[in-house]
DNA sequence: ACAGTATTGACCAGTCTGGTCAATTTGGTT
DNA sequence: AACCAAATTGACCAGACTGGTCAATACTGT
C-alpha cells in the first residue's frame, strides 16, 4: 500500500497526499480538481499523472493509503486491555490528534468518502474499504464494546444514552478545537489535550458510580 | 426582504429558494452552479436571471431571506421568560425542525456562509448579517443567558462545562437524526421530538440538583 | 559523456461557466 | 376575440476550467 510512492522525496510525497486529501475532503469527486491539487502541492501537472494514471486511480489509492494509516492507528495502537470506556475514547482522540499533525484532513476525507454515494466509478465505498480488509461496523463495535466494563456507570437503565452523551461531547469538543484553528493553521495540542482531560474528568464524575 | 419574489407562484418561489440554498450550502460560492440551481428548481435559466440580476445578487438576497426567517424564528418565537436552559434549548431545536420542514438546508447554508471567507465579493459575511440587523454574537449570548437560572445546576464549579455538554449532546442528537434521513428524504418529526425529550430528561436528572 | 529517471508546463479537445435575448406562452382586461 | 404586458423558455455565447498528454528539460548516479 505504501509502495505507491517509493523513491519519491517524502516531503513532496506528503505534500501531494495532503493536497489530494484536502481537495477530495472539500469537494465531491466530480468537483475535485486535479489542477487545484497540483497547485496546492507545488508540483507540475505531469508529475501527478506520472505517478497516478488518472484521477480515479489517484482517488482509490488515496483511500488505500488512508485505510493503511487508520488500520495502524486505530486497530493496532489502541490498548485493547483498557476496560474504561472514557479512557478508550481518550486514546482514540489522542491518536486522531497525532495523525492530524501529519495529515490534517485525513478524517474529514474518510468521512466524506463514506457520505457521498458513487464517488467516481465506485458504487459502494464501504465495500471498497472491506476489500482492503477494513470493516467499519466491526471496528466501531470493537471500540465501544471489546473488554469495556459497563458496570462503572451509575444508572444501569440509561447506559446507552450515557455513552452517547460522552461520545458526542468529546466529538464536539474536538470539532470546536478544530474551528479555533482555522486562521493560523496550527493547533496547540498540549492545550487541547488539557481541555480534553478536563472534560473527561467531569464526565467520569458525572456518569460513573 | 420578502418582496424580492412578490407575485411569483409560492411553490415555484420555494423551489427556487430551496434549490439555491441547497447549492450554496453544498459548495462554496465559486463552485456553486446556477445551472444546477435551475435544473433542481425545474425552471429555465432565463427565469432565474429575470428575478436576480446575477449570481452575486442571488447570493446576497438569499442571505437576506435567511436572516428574515432566522430573525422571526429565533428572536421572536422563543419564550424569553423561560428560565430553564434545557427548555430553552428544546425550543430552539423544535424551531429548527419546523423551519427545516419548509427549507431543509437553511441552517447548513447559514453555517457555510459564516465558515467560508470571501464568498463572492463579500469580504466579511458577519458584517453583512449585521448590516441586516442580525448580530450573531448578541443572539448567541441571549440564547444562553437572558433570564436563565443557572442555580439549577448541581455543581456550581462546572456550570460552563455542563452547559457545553448539554448543548453538544443535543446538537449531536440533531445531527444524527439528520443522517438517518438521507435516503427517503423525510424525517419522522414526532419520533425525533420523542427522542429529544428522552435525552433532555436524562440531562436534567444528570446535571440539575 | 552517457543513460535513465524525475519533472516540467504548454497544449489539447471537451465540458461547464455565468449571463443574454429574441421568441413564445400565459393571464387578465377590454 | 383582440390586445397587451408580464412570465417563461432555451438556444446561444465567449471565456474559464476540465482531465489528460507529451516532447522537452533537469537531475542523478555511473
Amino acid at each position: 500500500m505504501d509502495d505507491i510512492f517509493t523513491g519519491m522525496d517524502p516531503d513532496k510525497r506528503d505534500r501531494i497526499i495532503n493536497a489530494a486529501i484536502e481537495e477530495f475532503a472539500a469537494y465531491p469527486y466530480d468537483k475535485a480538481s486535479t489542477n487545484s491539487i497540483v497547485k496546492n502541492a507545488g508540483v507540475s501537472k505531469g508529475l501527478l499523472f506520472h505517478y497516478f494514471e488518472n484521477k480515479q486511480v489517484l482517488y482509490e489509492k488515496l483511500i488505500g493509503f488512508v485505510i493503511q494509516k487508520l488500520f495502524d492507528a486505530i486497530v493496532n495502537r489502541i490498548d485493547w486491555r483498557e476496560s474504561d470506556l472514557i479512557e478508550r475514547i481518550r486514546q482514540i482522540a489522542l491518536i486522531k490528534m497525532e495523525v492530524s499533525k501529519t495529515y490534517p484532513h485525513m478524517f474529514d476525507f474518510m468521512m466524506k468518502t463514506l457520505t457521498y454515494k458513487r464517488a467516481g466509478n465506485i458504487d459502494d465505498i464501504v465495500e471498497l474499504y472491506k476489500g482492503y480488509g477494513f470493516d467499519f461496523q466491526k471496528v466501531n463495535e470493537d471500540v465501544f464494546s471489546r473488554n469495556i466494563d459497563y458496570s462503572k456507570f451509575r444508572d444501569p437503565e440509561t447506559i446507552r444514552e450515557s455513552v452517547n452523551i460522552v461520545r458526542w461531547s468529546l466529538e464536539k469538543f474536538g470539532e470546536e478545537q478544530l474551528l479555533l484553528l482555522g486562521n493560523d493553521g496550527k493547533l496547540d495540542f498540549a492545550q487541547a489535550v488539557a481541555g480534553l482531560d478536563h472534560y473527561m474528568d467531569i464526565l467520569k464524575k458525572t456518569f460513573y458510580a
Side-chain angles (χ1 to χ4, degrees), chain A residues 81-107:
Chain A
R81 293 162 307 176
E82 176 63 63
S83 69
D84 188 308
L85 177 71
I86 294 184
E87 281 302 325
R88 172 152 309 168
I89 292 178
R90 179 175 191 271
Q91 279 181 28
I92 293 173
L94 291 184
I95 290 171
K96 241 171 143 173
M97 281 188 193
E98 208 204 301
V99 171
S100 296
K101 277 185 196 172
T102 315
Y103 305 105
H105 293 86
M106 212 179 81
F107 287 92

Side-chain angles (χ1 to χ4, degrees), chain A residues 24-25 28 59 63 66-67 70 106-119 122-130 134-137 139-140:
Chain A
F24 283 116
Y59 185 72
I63 289 182
V66 166
I67 304 264
L70 275 181
M106 212 179 81
F107 287 92
D108 296 352
F109 169 71
M110 192 201 68
M111 291 308 293
K112 273 282 173 63
T113 63
L114 295 173
T115 304
Y116 285 111
K117 288 290 170 194
R118 260 202 76 83
I122 311 166
D123 284 286
D124 191 340
I125 297 195
V126 174
E127 288 303 317
L128 180 65
Y129 277 90
K130 274 188 190 166
F134 197 93
D135 184 336
F136 275 99
Q137 207 176 342
V139 169
N140 206 48

Side-chain angles (χ1 to χ4, degrees), chain A residues 165-181:
Chain A
I165 291 170
V166 169
R167 208 188 79 218
W168 289 338
S169 298
L170 296 179
E171 281 174 11
K172 272 282 182 185
F173 175 82
E175 289 171 22
E176 298 214 348
Q177 292 298 109
L178 286 182
L179 284 185
L180 294 182
L181 186 139

Side-chain angles (χ1 to χ4, degrees), chain A residues 1-8 13-14 17 51-52 57-72 103 106 109 128-134:
Chain A
M1 216 68 64
D2 230 8
D3 59 355
I4 298 163
F5 304 100
T6 40
M8 188 192 276
R13 190 192 81 131
D14 278 352
I17 291 176
Y51 284 104
F52 306 93
V57 167
L58 165 64
Y59 185 72
E60 287 173 26
K61 293 212 169 175
L62 226 44
I63 289 182
F65 179 81
V66 166
I67 304 264
Q68 177 215 350
K69 291 285 168 196
L70 275 181
F71 204 87
D72 173 59
Y103 305 105
M106 212 179 81
F109 169 71
L128 180 65
Y129 277 90
K130 274 188 190 166
Y132 283 106
F134 197 93

Side-chain angles (χ1 to χ4, degrees), chain A residues 140-168:
Chain A
N140 206 48
E141 273 176 35
D142 277 358
V143 163
F144 286 101
S145 60
R146 170 128 63 115
N147 287 338
I148 295 296
D149 176 14
Y150 278 102
S151 69
K152 289 187 175 185
F153 280 87
R154 179 173 291 149
D155 182 355
E157 284 186 12
T158 60
I159 287 183
R160 232 170 52 114
E161 292 87 344
S162 302
V163 170
N164 279 337
I165 291 170
V166 169
R167 208 188 79 218
W168 289 338

